[in-house]
Amino acid sequence: MNNPLLRGLTQSRYSRRDAMRVAGFSAAGLALAACGVQGQKAAPPKASEVADFWSTQKKNGQVVFANWPEYMPEDQGPLKKFQQATGISYEYKEVIQENADFFGKSEPQLRAGQPLGYDIIVMTNGLQLAKMITLGYLVALDHKQLPNFAANAGAKYKNPSFDPNNQFTIPWQAGVTGIAYNTKYVKEDITSIQSLFDKKYEGKVGMMADAQEIANFAMFAVGVDPDKSTQADWEKAGAKLAEQRDSGVVRKYYDQSYIDAVAKGDIWLSQAWSGDVFQRQLAGEPVKFVVPAEGGTIWVDNMAIPKGAANPVDALMLMDFMYQPEIAAELTEYIQYVTPVPGVQAILAAKDDKDAKALAESPLIFPTDDDYAKLRSYKTLTAAEETVFNGIFQSITQG
């Protein structure tokens, strides 16, 4: 197995995660996302309509897969194995750089009833994916054709709040937002989110610049489940963040550069993404990661079939193929984020490869049951809620 720090992938992967998280609530991202309001909200498809659609579809022998950079092994081994097993040829295109940018470019075509030219797309749970579902731009999946997903996906990845019963999406990869801290400077075991608000770490705390990320952690800090939160909860959380900022506890609101600041000791603890910390741990840097007792955030990158896709059956076959544990393990070795297939852990542990074993033993790649129990998603917002939400939390980092 190749170490990503040695093969030069780290910077690309870091940039990708940064773009993904920040795009959702950046000014440019919001402007692009606003295109979605031009469409009309679609009625949820009836089971009979879904069945009728799939009854008319057939395997065509080709599939076009649109994904993010650095999200497939360089040799495209899993895709080659799919082609060998099914006879379906593939095109793999790394064309998604930001959720908002991709949505902004895709929405006018989808609204006009024009195909995107892709049979599978990958989008993160959040504002843009919610709009794709609400506006009827995704094809409802036929789960009878997804036996590997049914058998091998972890319980946490079935029936998510942003897509009940996985009607339109199944996960590609996932990750966790928790707390990273430098053990050279922080001598206690960090277990609580309140450490990010503790005056004894004045000027040594990093928070993320993304509104959704800071909102979730502030809601955890005041005892609120983000999925069930109200405007009153947001205001309470916003006040908690304002106090943290105004008292000088926060050194800076970071993009991806937070991980360098923690590793160098410019800050001692920070909100953090699990994949970033794992890669630093492989490099031997003194950085630990914890899901705080009050809660952490799980984000999921999801495969979906866009409306008008030319090869939906072939797309379903490829989506399901990736849920074979051996194939999912190959992806995990390269990508080094959280896999939605728990069976991958035993496969990696059995390999005669120290890096594979390190992956298998890391709770950053395979969260514990206790960690999963503490993880929550981002709040799914209506258009009206989005305006209020942004007004509260963007004012923290931009004020």
Side-chain angles (χ1 to χ4, degrees), residues 221-255:
V222 298
V224 172
D225 181 340
D227 281 340
K228 302 173 183 177
S229 62
T230 64
Q231 181 176 338
D233 296 325
W234 306 340
E235 292 169 350
K236 186 177 180 181
K240 179 82 171 177
L241 289 168
E243 180 184 0
Q244 178 199 41
R245 178 196 61 197
D246 296 343
S247 65
V249 172
V250 176
R251 178 186 178 94
K252 183 179 175 182
Y253 296 95
Y254 286 88
D255 55 20

Side-chain angles (χ1 to χ4, degrees), residues 106-127:
S106 301
E107 195 278 336
Q109 289 179 250
L110 292 168
R111 177 160 36 93
Q114 300 172 356
L116 297 180
Y118 310 126
D119 301 307
I120 301 173
I121 59 175
V122 176
M123 296 184 71
T124 314
N125 62 299
L127 179 64

Side-chain angles (χ1 to χ4, degrees), residues 49-366:
E49 294 171 337
V50 175
D52 287 347
F53 170 80
W54 286 106
S55 69
T56 65
Q57 305 303 312
K58 67 182 190 310
K59 174 182 171 182
N60 293 325
Q62 58 187 354
V63 64
V64 183
F65 188 172
N67 207 343
W68 300 73
E70 311 296 356
Y71 238 8
M72 179 67 66
E74 290 176 341
D75 64 1
Q76 298 187 351
L79 294 172
K80 290 177 181 176
K81 290 181 176 68
F82 171 73
Q83 183 168 322
Q84 292 167 358
T86 65
I88 297 172
S89 62
Y90 68 87
E91 289 183 62
Y92 184 73
K93 301 185 177 185
E94 296 181 337
V95 295
I96 305 176
Q97 301 287 342
E98 292 182 352
N99 286 295
D101 180 66
F102 182 74
F103 178 83
K105 292 175 180 176
S106 301
E107 195 278 336
Q109 289 179 250
L110 292 168
R111 177 160 36 93
Q114 300 172 356
L116 297 180
Y118 310 126
D119 301 307
I120 301 173
I121 59 175
V122 176
M123 296 184 71
T124 314
N125 62 299
L127 179 64
Q128 288 79 30
L129 180 60
K131 288 180 182 291
M132 292 286 278
I133 293 172
T134 300
L135 296 172
Y137 294 159
L138 300 180
V139 175
L141 304 178
D142 180 4
H143 278 268
K144 294 192 297 294
Q145 298 187 57
L146 295 171
N148 288 322
F149 171 75
N152 299 320
K156 187 69 179 179
Y157 301 97
K158 294 179 176 179
N159 194 31
S161 60
F162 59 87
D163 182 21
N165 299 314
N166 299 95
Q167 186 174 15
F168 299 98
T169 68
I170 60 175
W172 172 251
Q173 300 291 307
V176 173
T177 305
I179 298 174
Y181 61 101
N182 188 315
T183 56
K184 181 178 178 180
Y185 301 100
V186 178
K187 299 304 181 182
E188 63 180 321
D189 287 334
I190 299 295
T191 60
S192 172
I193 210 163
Q194 299 301 335
S195 295
L196 293 173
F197 299 84
D198 195 328
K199 283 285 289 182
K200 73 180 178 183
Y201 294 121
E202 182 177 345
K204 295 298 182 180
V205 171
M207 297 291 284
M208 292 183 172
D210 176 59
Q212 285 180 303
E213 293 285 20
I214 62 169
N216 265 26
F217 267 50
M219 283 189 270
F220 294 141
V222 298
V224 172
D225 181 340
D227 281 340
K228 302 173 183 177
S229 62
T230 64
Q231 181 176 338
D233 296 325
W234 306 340
E235 292 169 350
K236 186 177 180 181
K240 179 82 171 177
L241 289 168
E243 180 184 0
Q244 178 199 41
R245 178 196 61 197
D246 296 343
S247 65
V249 172
V250 176
R251 178 186 178 94
K252 183 179 175 182
Y253 296 95
Y254 286 88
D255 55 20
Q256 202 84 34
S257 60
Y258 80 87
I259 192 63
D260 291 321
V262 173
K264 290 187 298 184
D266 293 341
I267 54 176
W268 295 356
L269 63 165
S270 178
Q271 283 187 285
W273 296 317
S274 53
D276 293 354
V277 179
F278 177 77
Q279 292 172 7
R280 295 305 177 109
Q281 289 177 344
L282 280 184
E285 296 180 3
V287 183
K288 289 188 71 173
F289 180 87
V290 64
V291 177
E294 297 87 348
T297 303
I298 185 168
W299 47 261
V300 183
D301 291 346
N302 302 276
M303 293 183 283
I305 301 174
K307 185 177 178 182
N311 307 295
V313 170
D314 308 76
L316 272 185
M317 292 176 68
L318 177 53
M319 292 162 69
D320 194 55
F321 187 83
M322 296 301 169
Y323 274 83
Q324 295 184 28
E326 289 286 352
I327 297 300
E330 190 173 346
L331 292 171
T332 300
E333 283 194 84
Y334 179 82
I335 298 169
Q336 298 184 354
Y337 282 116
V338 178
T339 174
V341 181
V344 166
Q345 188 169 23
I347 293 171
L348 296 179
K351 290 196 171 192
D352 185 20
D353 181 308
K354 64 182 179 66
D355 287 342
K357 291 183 183 298
L359 282 167
E361 294 168 1
S362 175
L364 282 72
I365 306 299
F366 298 97

Side-chain angles (χ1 to χ4, degrees), residues 16-49:
R16 177 200 169 282
R17 286 250 57 90
D18 180 32
M20 224 164 74
R21 297 267 64 83
V22 175
F25 283 93
S26 67
L30 288 169
L32 286 165
C35 297
V37 301
Q38 297 178 25
Q40 295 184 357
K41 183 175 180 179
K46 298 177 181 178
S48 59
E49 294 171 337

